[in-house]
Amino acid sequence: MDLDRLMTRNPKFCLATSLLEEVARAMRDEDVGELPVVDLDRHPIGVITDRDIVVRTLAAGRNPLEVRVQDCMTAPPVTIQEDATVEECARLMQRQQVRRIPVVDGKGALCGIVALADLERSDARSLQNDVTRSVSRPH
């Protein structure tokens, strides 16, 4: 199965200079736990997760209303090309122990995102179980 049939196209994203308050609101509104962080050409430079916000900001005693994405994002991002197979994507997620992976086009620009839940809804259900076991292991 091709990845383009599985991924969420044109996902919400943010810039490194975005305020965490805006990002948290976007995560709530989109019902997602991660947003890709892109440069002005939409090339992914990182990701920001709800966990990044909690662990690197709140738990560190920083005021999230004064913090920008660049101060707590995870970088560099693990990405995959849009012409990859679902199996390649699942193996990369497993190897890198990530639950979500931004998808880039031939020019390296963000064009989609694949989440662990997407694997569950595909023919790759058995791969989803392997990925879940891998990402649930402590790093």
Side-chain angles (χ1 to χ4, degrees):
M1 173 186 243
D2 291 335
L3 197 58
D4 65 344
R5 295 178 59 207
L6 182 67
M7 71 178 173
T8 300
R9 290 206 160 273
N10 301 312
K12 185 84 170 169
F13 60 86
C14 64
L15 301 174
T17 54
S18 299
L19 291 170
L20 285 190
E21 181 180 14
E22 297 166 0
V23 170
R25 219 176 294 118
M27 287 178 173
R28 178 199 63 204
D29 294 348
E30 298 290 322
D31 193 27
V32 297
E34 175 179 304
L35 291 180
V37 182
V38 300
D39 64 17
L40 295 177
D41 294 319
R42 286 187 57 151
H43 295 122
I45 59 170
V47 296
I48 182 79
T49 67
D50 46 9
R51 188 173 194 283
D52 289 335
I53 294 170
V54 171
V55 172
R56 295 182 179 160
T57 305
L58 292 173
R62 299 169 76 188
N63 181 349
L65 300 177
E66 298 172 352
V67 176
R68 296 195 181 270
V69 169
Q70 64 198 5
D71 299 321
C72 67
M73 69 183 192
T74 298
V78 176
T79 62
I80 194 161
Q81 292 287 321
E82 68 180 329
D83 61 356
T85 65
V86 171
E87 291 78 14
E88 290 169 327
C89 182
R91 296 295 174 228
L92 182 59
M93 292 169 82
Q94 185 176 13
R95 207 169 39 253
Q96 295 294 323
Q97 293 185 281
V98 295
R99 297 175 189 276
R100 302 165 198 94
I101 189 163
V103 181
V104 295
D105 64 19
K107 295 180 181 177
L110 179 70
C111 65
I113 194 163
V114 175
L116 192 56
D118 296 325
L119 296 178
E120 177 69 25
R121 293 189 302 267
S122 76
D123 298 341
R125 189 176 232 141
S126 63
L127 292 172
Q128 186 262 349
N129 293 331
D130 293 342
V131 175
T132 299
R133 278 193 296 277
S134 291
V135 300
S136 298
R137 279 195 321 251
H139 285 74

